[in-house]
Each structure stands twice: as C-alpha cells, then as structure tokens.
Amino acid sequence: MTKILPHKDVVIIGLGWSGSIIANELTDEGLDVVAIERGPWRDTGTDFNIGYIQDELRYAIRRDLFLQPRVEAMTMRNNDGQSALPIREYNSFLPGNGVGGAGVHWNGQTWRFWDSDFQINKHLTERYGAQKFDGLTLQDWGVTAQEMEKSYDKFEYLAGISGKAGNVNGQIQEGGNPFEDPRSRDYPLPPMEMTYGPTKFAEVTKGMGLHPFPCPSGNLSKDYVNPLGVAMGQCTMCGFCERFGCANYSKSSAQTTVLPVLMKKKNFEARTLCEVLHIDKDASGKMAKGVTYVDSSDEVCFQPADLVVVTAYALHNARLMMLSGIGQVYDPNTGEGTIGRNYCYQTNAGARVYFDDENFNPFIAAGALGMTCDDYNGDAFDHSDVDFVGGAGINCVPSSGRPIQSRPTPPGTPAWGKDWKKATAETYKSSLAFGSQGSSYPVAGNHLDLDPTYKDRFGRPLLRITFDFPDNDLRMSHFVSDRMEDIAKAMGGREHTVSRAKKGWNSAVYQSTHNTGGVIMGTDPKKSALNKYLQSWEAHNVFVVGASAFAHNAGKNPTGTVGGLAFWAADAIRNQYLRNPGVGLVSA
Amino acid sequence: MTQHCPPRLTRRSFLSTMSAALLAGTAGPALARDYPGGTLPWNAYSSEPPTQIVPGGWKFFTPAEAATVEAIVDRLIPEDDLSVGGKDAGCAVYIDRQLTTFYGSSDRLYMQGPFKPGLPTQGYQGEWTNAERYRRGLGAIAKYLNANKSGATFASLSDEDKDAFLKDMEAGKVELPDDVDAKAFFALILGNTMEGFFADPVYGGNKDMASWKMLGFPGARYDYREYVSKHNQPFPLPPVSIAGAMNWKAK
C-alpha cells in the first residue's frame, strides 16, 4: 500500500549542492518545496567533529560518509563484448551519501568550463574541420560561456571561492589564468597562501614559459560572509579535505553556504533516509505527477508535485530517468535514445619528483591549495599538428600527507620489509607530486544503461557502466605526460616518475569522482535528454541538474559547473517556466 | 524534528537490526526523518567518537591464527632503528579487532550474487567476507606449511624462510589449498597491516604513534596557519592522536 501524501509545488530528489541551491531559489519564489534525500542528515556541528574528524581510517579508508555499495552498487565493463559485474566496493570513484552529497567530501577545486567547451562542436569544426574529431560524439551544450557567466559568479560568491581572476571583462590579469573566458569581476576572496611544493612548481613552470596561477579554491583563504549572510572561517590547512567533512566551516559545501538559510524557511521541508524509487508520470505520459519513495521503515509513499527537480549524483540521475521511463535509453548500436548517452569520466596521469634535501611538509595542505597551468588544457593550444583534441590542466595540488594512503617510495622499492621502511621514512617529506587532469570526450561505445542481471536491495536493476578511455583521450594524455616529463626534469630532483594513462579503465583503483553525462543538455532532442535550461525534452515539468547534464567532461573538476548550472536552471524556472508552467522553454 | 512515516519494524527485524548495529559498532537503526519548515535540526556532537581499542586477548583470531598473523606483520614491518616491528606496534591486534566490525562482515559491500570470476578491472568478485578470507587464508597457510615444510607453522620458520614464503605469496607462486588465492590474500594482509601501522593509535596499531614519529607526520593536528609560509623547514611539534598527546593519556 502506497501512502499518498499532501501535494507540494516542487519535489527535489537529492539534497546536495544542486538540490540545496535550487530549493533555496524556488522557496524564495514562494513555492512549497520538499527535498527527498536517501542518506542521513549531516551538518558540521552534528557530524564533522573537530575532536575526531582527522581520522584517516574511518573517513578515507572505511569511508563513513560515502554511499555504501550494499545500498546501491553499479556494474561495470570496459566494452560491450565483456560481461558486466558489480562494483562490490567503490574504488575508482566514490559517490556521496546524505545531505550535502558529494559536496561534503570534495576537495574544493572550483573551475569554470570555457566557451570552447560549451560550444565544442562548433568551435572545433570552425578551427580544425569536423574530421578532426571523427568518431567522437562531441556536441554543443546549448549555452555559451557568456550566458553562464552570471550563474558561475553566483556560485563562486555563494561558496567564497579563493582565487585570482585571469580575465576581467576582457582585460588579462597578471597572476591569474590567461586562458579563461572573461569574468565580470574577481573571485570573492584572494588566493590561499601557498605551501612550498606548489611555490616551487610555479617557479619552475614559469621559467619554462608556462602560466602558473593559484587553483580556484573552495577552502577559504579568509573569513567570509556570503550573500545569504552565512559566515565561514579561514582554512587552517589541516590536510583532511577529500573524503572528510570540514569541522572548521572552512570548506564550501551546502552545509556551510545554503542550508543554514534554507532550513529556516517555513516553505521548505527535508526528508532524509528516504529513497526515491522513480518519478511517476501522469496519464498522458508526457508530464510527471510526483515521485514514489520508500523510507527506512520500508513504507512506500507517493509525493505529488507540480515540478520534479532531479539533483542526485550524476550516475543516479541517469538511473532514475531509466527507472522512470522518461526518455529512451541510448543504444550505442543504432545511436538512438538519449538517456545514458555521452557518459564521460576524466583522463588523468601523475608525476612525482624525488629530492634528496627538500622538506615539503606534505601534511600542511588543503584540497585545493596549489598551482595550475592551463597551457595544455582544452583548446588553449593549437591542435593543428597533433593527432587528438582536448587537453589537461597540469596541477600541483598536494592535498594531504595522510600516511595510510600517502607514502610514496622511489621506483624499485619493495612493498614491505626493511628496505621498504627505510625508503618510506626517507621519502615521506622529500618528494613532490603533480598531475594532469585531462578531458574525457564521448564515443558511441561509452554509455550507461540498466544491468540485466544484478539488482539493488529493492529488486530494481543496477546501473551498468560501459566505459574505457577513448584512443583520442589517451593520445591527449600521453602528449601532456610528455610535457610533465619536461617539468619533472626541470624541477631538478634526483629522479622522477610519470604514471601514464592506459587502456582498460580499472574500477578497483581510485581515479576520480568526476562521472559526467548520461542525461545531457543540448540543442537536439534526438541527441540530448535536456534542453539548454536542463528541462527534459520529454516531460516538461522535470529538470535534471548535475554533472549528468555535461555533454562531455573538460580537463577540470566539475563542481564549479555543477553549481553554475544549478543557478542557471533555477533562474530559468523562476523567470521563465513559472510564467507558463508545463511548457517547454525551447521548442523541439 | 519528527519521525516521518512511523516505522513499522517487527520485533524480530528490530532485534536483528540492533544486533547487526552492535556488531558493526555503530549507533542503532537510523530512521527516516522529516525536517519540516522552520526547524533547525542541528544537534551538536551527536555522532559517535571512535572507541579506544584495548590490547589483550583475541576477539576474532584463534591463538594459532594470532601467532601466524603476529609473525607475518613482524616481517612486513620489521623492527629496526626507525620503529618497533609490526607485532609490537599492535598491527595484529588492529586486524583482529577490525575483523569483528562491519569491515570483517563486509557489511557495507555489495554481496549479492551471482558470483563470477571477473577481469582485473572489475575488482574483487569473491563470495567470502573479509573475516572469511582471513579464516580460510590462515587455515590454508597452516595446511600448506604442515604438508610442505614437515609440520612447521609460519611462526616457527626462520626469518629468511618467512620472507621467502611471503615473497612467493606476493608473487602468486604458492598454490594454497582450499581455493585460497595466495596473491590476493597476501595483498589483503599487507593492506590491513599498513592500515594498522599508519592509522590513529586508537584503532590498536601504531602504538605510541610509532609510524607517525618515523615519518614526521603530526597526526590529528588541525591548524597549520603559522607554518604554511615556513617553506622547507622542519615542523617543530610532535604528533598527537585523536586521543590526545602522549603525555595526556587519560588511562
């Protein structure tokens, strides 16, 4: 028996960054909003205790704050020729769980994508001709960087991002990123004070003619009060960011920026430990009428609503659309269908330089404290003479010295015993890592659908991920790895290593929680699930917000764009959709 | 703060939830919550601090298993000028206690079948929980050595023979009985030993912060603002544990 609950104007699925931002915007509009969240309530005072949050085993290794596979797993394979098997323990990526979502445990690196990303097909076709990216299903997102500027700005000021602008209204700024698109003003806070490693990296790369600048950071360089009146504190560089909640109110998250305002509103309600099973369609099949969810006592409830905003993690957004039958599931053989299309990831490689007489104190760190060069990112450099498109940011962001996971040893060192211990003790403070975070471009074979065999705890099919690194992306990554070799040599250490990207995405080794696509925005209803306002082409009162909307992934962390898209979609709902509800904002 | 949709747990399911939670060392069953408009659900420090592990006795291992594990961790992390060995650091105690938690029962993992051998890119696909892997793995080592080393136990081997056996396991050169994959089991023990050695001492390993002193890792400190600009200089303070500094031992 399903319990039918009183009607709401808006139901939001998942109370992370996107859900919190959109709930706050729509409650400001006077709407009655309920958010349904699968995980528990979390906030700083309750859960991120300054007395014991610095616990690497509990939070980073046993992953107390993350989605547990027993709650929802996924299956994976590298290509359609293999049998997918369940990811029994999340390793390659770690989805969040609970209020705040993945925004609780992120590092804080906060980027804007470029116009050459949003209009990637048009841009690359004009510059190189379409044959340059033959085999890649690169599509325009439907928006421009100019359109997105205001939304990015709102997110950066909400979150108190610390950084140095590189381009204010077309004027290049010394010390910022010269490759970024024009922004209307500088970041709300100055860059963080640099540790030794990134300082050295910046000196060396600058000497090589590159353009290092401080990574835009959600770890706050100063105390800050955001436009909603929520106060945050200066980051203390404790080195417990990624995989941890911040006990210090110093890392931007829904908890530290939006929820203190949102939770006080009479027209907002949050329900935790309630998992949405699917979105319900009305008799016409063209509109949603609400969502069905199950709570932790196994009671099934139907929540009617006029508007459904899907803001779970990217992969969960895609699965929810499939389980709800909104949009056709993508078939890589025919190219038909939109849900599950253009699934992308991140193409990373790493370098480490070993010194004899340097002390980097790796434990003095923060998740986004470091320096970046974008000289080889995106289309910042001419691709005429190379056999790939895309690029990578080269980042020196030594974000922690937590010793269970961070104990580098020089090549050839055994994994245990006397020699291992000696090398570990010698190397802990005296080596420096940097890495390339590369773009991930879509190909027909990389996609999401429902697994035919494996089920979740409610008997529903698990999401199936079919993914491997496309050859284009590997060629890109190897090109950038060659540049990293040059930098590593110029650093002047005793020796160095470069770990290159290779074929065969391995789900058992941590790489990145930057899963994108599956419910993408775009201009063509045959090739995208959403229009440029993140509104479903199929059901006009459904908006799907998150990295699931990315038509490809750039060589950058996704959260800045996720936050920008949340403000972008909220603005479209407030200022366009509500005037004429139920109607598509873009004609198909 | 009110409870949403009153829970309808039967006495039996309630009890089984409770016992699972107690085994896992976590709080009782979490229930769906409704935070209606205008409420502030803040609840200071209501999450659970870790419990200090007290050495003494074995909670999971049999005495024979414990002797083997102590001997293994002492070869993986041998005693020298840099630190105590894995046994004295408490690594075996750490593993023993971990195996009695959700980690041992693999309670957080996806453990539904069908179970099929996977590709290396698909990760561990075995049916056994972590606790079962230890029970079967240690049993297989004992059986193997008994048959192939004229009745020896691992702990009774010379240091050279211990290292040679561990290297063979690491390389997958030992065919252990009873379907135990020597290479995978070695990786499991090595990983857990390192966790114990480098984790906060409250979990039973890393006694007196031995590994943190060896590395110069300051532990559970929370504010480095004074030191961030002091490039390439030694950090002056000793490590602290979640349980406090060495000279502030409560018990």
Side-chain angles (χ1 to χ4, degrees):
Chain A
M1 263 289 282
T2 300
K3 180 174 171 179
I4 299 183
L5 299 169
H7 171 271
K8 294 277 184 182
D9 294 326
V10 183
V11 59
I12 285 177
I13 305 172
L15 193 56
W17 264 127
S18 299
S20 302
I21 288 169
I22 291 174
N24 193 50
E25 292 285 312
L26 298 187
T27 45
D28 272 355
E29 202 61 40
L31 298 176
D32 203 11
V33 177
V34 59
I36 299 179
E37 165 58 47
R38 170 163 61 190
W41 173 258
R42 293 191 202 286
D43 69 66
T44 312
T46 308
D47 299 287
F48 314 144
N49 190 316
I50 203 158
Y52 54 79
I53 195 78
Q54 317 91 317
D55 185 339
E56 185 183 12
L57 181 73
R58 176 177 182 176
Y59 295 104
I61 309 297
R62 299 287 180 259
R63 304 167 188 165
D64 254 23
L65 300 176
F66 292 96
L67 175 67
Q68 297 174 11
R70 75 169 301 168
V71 172
E72 184 183 332
M74 299 164 196
T75 70
M76 71 77 61
R77 57 183 178 173
N78 289 125
N79 57 62
D80 282 350
Q82 298 174 348
S83 294
L85 289 177
I87 299 171
R88 296 187 179 277
E89 177 172 19
Y90 286 119
N91 278 303
S92 174
F93 57 89
L94 303 173
N97 187 46
V99 170
V104 165
H105 62 72
W106 71 315
N107 261 331
Q109 300 174 26
T110 312
W111 297 94
R112 294 184 179 196
F113 284 14
W114 295 339
D115 197 56
S116 53
D117 290 307
F118 295 124
Q119 306 199 73
I120 194 163
N121 190 302
K122 177 168 176 276
H123 171 88
L124 292 177
T125 303
E126 283 173 6
R127 189 167 181 185
Y128 307 109
Q131 75 286 348
K132 182 79 181 175
F133 55 95
D134 195 31
L136 302 176
T137 55
L138 284 167
Q139 297 172 205
D140 295 343
W141 297 34
V143 293
T144 65
Q146 202 179 351
E147 284 178 301
M148 285 294 294
E149 203 284 328
K150 200 172 137 197
S151 301
Y152 272 128
D153 181 80
K154 278 187 188 166
F155 181 67
E156 288 163 359
Y157 273 71
L158 178 86
I161 300 306
S162 307
K164 173 75 186 123
N167 182 340
V168 178
N169 296 317
Q171 301 291 312
I172 300 298
Q173 310 288 310
E174 181 68 29
N177 182 3
F179 303 104
E180 71 176 356
D181 289 316
R183 54 175 67 239
S184 56
R185 52 178 173 167
D186 209 328
Y187 290 95
L189 292 179
M192 302 182 78
E193 198 174 353
M194 282 299 144
T195 45
Y196 180 42
T199 304
K200 193 177 178 74
F201 172 84
E203 282 166 11
V204 168
T205 49
K206 199 168 182 180
M208 298 170 74
L210 302 178
H211 298 82
F213 61 94
C215 176
S217 169
N219 324 125
L220 274 59
S221 62
K222 291 187 167 188
D223 296 347
Y224 182 64
V225 179
N226 78 10
L228 298 179
V230 181
M232 285 176 266
Q234 184 183 40
C235 172
T236 59
M237 291 157 281
C238 74
F240 290 85
C241 278
E242 188 179 40
R243 306 191 180 194
F244 301 81
C246 180
N248 223 22
Y249 299 89
S250 302
K251 181 168 75 174
S252 315
S253 64
Q255 279 82 354
T256 55
T257 63
V258 195
L259 289 169
V261 170
L262 179 62
M263 294 305 292
K264 283 188 198 160
K265 292 181 172 176
K266 295 245 180 270
N267 55 339
F268 178 71
E269 182 183 342
R271 292 184 200 142
T272 59
L273 295 168
C274 293
E275 177 167 344
V276 172
L277 297 172
H278 57 262
I279 301 157
D280 293 80
K281 293 191 282 191
D282 71 4
S284 74
K286 295 195 185 280
M287 293 285 276
K289 61 178 184 181
V291 305
T292 297
Y293 68 90
V294 56
D295 74 10
S296 60
S297 65
D298 278 347
E299 176 148 30
V300 178
C301 304
F302 173 63
Q303 175 60 62
D306 294 331
L307 186 60
V308 176
V309 185
V310 188
T311 53
Y313 189 63
L315 293 162
H316 302 136
N317 283 353
R319 179 168 178 253
L320 268 172
M321 296 296 276
M322 293 177 197
L323 294 173
S324 307
I326 302 176
Q328 190 185 334
V329 178
Y330 173 67
D331 179 346
N333 297 312
T334 63
E336 286 176 13
T338 56
I339 309 295
R341 188 185 173 91
N342 283 29
Y343 172 69
C344 293
Y345 194 38
Q346 200 90 74
T347 320
N348 296 344
R352 185 173 287 277
V353 186
Y354 300 86
F355 297 89
D356 288 320
D357 301 308
E358 298 277 11
N359 180 355
F360 294 102
N361 286 328
F363 43 84
I364 305 178
L369 172 52
M371 298 291 285
T372 288
C373 296
D374 261 355
D375 299 70
Y376 299 105
N377 209 346
D379 201 39
F381 59 108
D382 185 3
H383 288 67
S384 299
D385 296 329
V386 294
D387 56 355
F388 61 86
V389 288
I394 302 179
N395 309 300
C396 182
V397 187
S399 59
S400 98
R402 301 186 302 263
I404 299 177
Q405 289 195 292
S406 182
R407 308 177 260 113
T409 51
T413 307
W416 52 278
K418 206 174 174 63
D419 293 342
W420 160 80
K421 201 204 276 186
K422 183 166 178 287
T424 301
E426 283 172 358
T427 312
Y428 177 70
K429 290 191 226 173
S430 64
S431 78
L432 180 64
F434 57 96
S436 63
Q437 177 165 254
S439 54
S440 179
Y441 286 169
V443 293
N446 287 342
H447 65 112
L448 309 173
D449 60 3
L450 293 175
D451 192 89
T453 308
Y454 291 94
K455 313 282 189 219
D456 73 4
R457 55 187 175 156
F458 303 115
R460 301 174 306 163
L462 299 185
L463 186 75
R464 177 168 65 178
I465 301 172
T466 305
F467 180 82
D468 206 344
F469 299 107
D471 294 336
N472 171 78
D473 296 358
L474 290 173
R475 289 195 293 268
M476 175 281 296
S477 186
H478 294 157
F479 173 86
V480 178
S481 288
D482 291 343
R483 309 285 83 74
M484 292 206 292
E485 292 270 6
D486 297 340
I487 296 169
K489 280 177 200 153
M491 299 277 274
R494 183 184 72 235
E495 60 181 320
H496 70 266
T497 51
V498 175
S499 317
R500 288 171 183 255
K502 55 176 190 280
K503 204 80 180 168
W505 167 54
N506 186 348
S507 69
V509 177
Y510 186 78
Q511 287 156 69
S512 171
T513 307
H514 301 169
N515 314 80
T516 67
V519 194
I520 64 170
M521 55 197 289
T523 56
D524 180 353
K526 288 195 169 62
K527 293 181 174 177
S528 59
L530 313 173
N531 65 26
K532 67 184 279 191
Y533 299 109
L534 297 100
Q535 179 186 32
S536 165
W537 293 110
E538 294 267 330
H540 292 154
N541 62 343
V542 174
F543 287 73
V544 187
V545 185
S548 47
F550 293 13
H552 68 273
N553 200 11
K556 296 177 176 309
N557 307 61
T559 301
T561 299
V562 169
L565 287 175
F567 276 109
W568 171 255
D571 183 73
I573 295 169
R574 290 181 75 166
N575 296 311
Q576 298 184 63
Y577 179 83
L578 291 176
R579 286 186 202 147
N580 200 2
V583 175
L585 298 177
V586 178
S587 47
Chain B
M1 188 189 315
T2 55
Q3 210 171 282
H4 169 68
C5 290
R8 296 180 306 174
L9 292 172
T10 62
R11 182 174 162 76
R12 187 162 161 248
S13 73
F14 179 74
L15 287 173
S16 67
T17 315
M18 277 306 287
S19 60
L22 288 174
L23 270 178
T26 60
L31 298 172
R33 293 285 179 185
D34 190 7
Y35 303 105
T39 60
L40 291 173
W42 278 232
N43 191 5
Y45 305 129
S46 66
S47 68
E48 300 276 312
T51 309
Q52 173 78 53
I53 294 298
V54 182
W58 302 100
K59 307 285 186 196
F60 175 80
F61 293 134
T62 64
E65 289 170 342
T68 301
V69 174
E70 288 197 315
I72 291 174
V73 300
D74 230 25
R75 292 318 301 161
L76 298 179
I77 302 174
E79 182 186 359
D80 59 15
D81 294 345
L82 293 167
S83 79
V84 294
K87 178 183 168 182
D88 287 345
C91 292
V93 173
Y94 162 83
I95 296 172
D96 177 73
R97 301 306 195 267
Q98 284 289 307
L99 291 175
T100 65
T101 69
F102 65 86
Y103 177 74
S105 59
S106 294
D107 193 47
R108 294 183 174 182
L109 308 186
Y110 184 80
M111 296 300 279
Q112 292 187 42
F115 290 89
K116 294 177 184 171
L119 300 163
T121 59
Q122 292 175 312
Y124 178 68
Q125 292 294 332
E127 207 167 339
W128 301 339
T129 64
N130 288 320
E132 287 168 336
R133 292 178 74 187
Y134 268 90
R135 185 119 291 151
R136 289 164 188 263
L138 294 170
I141 289 174
K143 209 178 201 181
Y144 178 90
L145 290 176
N146 189 42
N148 294 282
K149 299 270 179 186
S150 49
T153 64
F154 184 83
S156 71
L157 299 176
S158 68
D159 284 351
E160 290 70 28
D161 284 352
K162 284 175 186 162
D163 286 359
F165 182 73
L166 291 173
K167 278 179 191 160
D168 283 350
M169 277 184 71
E170 184 179 26
K173 287 183 191 162
V174 188
E175 285 285 329
L176 291 180
D178 301 328
D179 298 326
V180 171
D181 178 338
K183 194 174 174 175
F185 184 50
F186 177 84
L188 182 69
I189 299 182
L190 178 65
N192 291 149
T193 303
M194 294 301 171
E195 284 169 10
F197 191 56
F198 290 104
D200 194 284
V202 297
Y203 293 102
N206 196 10
K207 186 177 184 330
D208 297 336
M209 296 177 259
S211 74
W212 293 357
K213 287 178 192 160
M214 173 182 97
L215 297 178
F217 174 63
R221 293 189 181 275
Y222 214 78
D223 189 353
Y224 293 114
R225 283 176 294 182
E226 261 185 71
Y227 305 98
V228 64
S229 62
K230 294 179 178 164
H231 290 176
N232 205 9
Q233 292 177 37
F235 180 76
L237 302 176
V240 291
S241 156
I242 289 169
M246 289 285 292
N247 54 342
W248 279 83
K249 289 262 162 134
K251 291 173 190 172

